[in-house]
Amino acid sequence: LSPIEYSEELATELDRHYLGISKTAKVQRRRMVKRIDDQPIQIQRSAVPLKLAKGTLLADETAQPYPGGTLAELYDAGLIPAGANVVVVEEAHARMPNTRERQLLEMAVTGPVWDIVRTFKVDGVAVEVSRVIAPTARIVLVYETDLS
């Protein structure tokens, strides 16, 4: 995996499940290793329905790294209109990394990684799904629930 790889592909079963698209739908696939202070912090593989991404900055690998991350990209690509209800759903579990993930993340010591599926929904419609792999020792998950 080079630092950034983009391709147009048929949607995988995971893409179809989270994006609610058909078996014949294509996605803009984006794969990258994100770094902070030159240290790999996470592997991110995302998919945006091609009909939404085509012709936007979401299909332009030279736009990476994008200031503000995925949320800013979705706004700037026009997928989040003013006043839209935006929800991010994350499903996280810990597991041991495979050899390639350990290499990409430059993990000297084998330990668990977070395997997170993150879905961005705009007015109830999923517009992007990402699979994020990150060493548990480098990432803290923080959750806040307002029950008022």
Side-chain angles (χ1 to χ4, degrees):
L1 182 65
S2 67
I4 301 167
E5 294 178 358
Y6 277 44
S7 59
E8 294 179 8
E9 303 176 4
L10 275 175
T12 66
E13 185 176 337
L14 182 118
D15 300 330
R16 293 189 306 268
H17 173 76
Y18 287 97
L19 294 171
I21 56 179
S22 73
K23 286 186 176 186
T24 59
K26 288 191 172 186
V27 296
Q28 177 67 60
R29 176 85 54 221
R30 304 168 338 143
R31 299 173 182 93
M32 60 195 83
V33 176
K34 294 190 173 182
R35 297 178 167 273
I36 296 177
D37 296 330
D38 205 37
Q39 179 181 16
I41 196 74
Q42 70 183 25
I43 301 165
Q44 182 176 343
R45 297 179 186 101
S46 70
V48 178
L50 189 59
K51 68 180 185 176
L52 299 178
K54 199 155 189 90
T56 73
L57 63 93
L58 296 167
D60 180 7
E61 65 188 81
T62 65
Q64 294 296 333
Y66 198 82
T70 303
L71 187 58
E73 284 181 296
L74 295 173
Y75 272 106
D76 293 348
L79 297 187
I80 302 177
N85 179 36
V86 181
V87 174
V88 180
V89 179
E90 292 185 318
E91 299 174 23
H93 69 274
R95 64 168 173 80
M96 296 306 287
N98 63 37
T99 302
R100 184 69 174 138
E101 291 166 341
R102 279 194 315 273
Q103 291 169 345
L104 289 170
L105 293 167
E106 299 174 14
M107 296 174 68
V109 176
T110 300
V113 293
W114 287 115
D115 190 333
I116 304 166
V117 176
R118 180 181 297 145
T119 308
F120 285 84
K121 296 182 179 183
V122 178
D123 292 331
V125 177
V127 297
E128 195 260 6
V129 64
S130 295
R131 186 158 181 211
V132 176
I133 310 298
T136 59
R138 296 182 198 160
I139 300 290
V140 175
L141 300 178
V142 178
Y143 297 93
E144 179 177 329
T145 304
D146 182 348
L147 298 176
S148 57

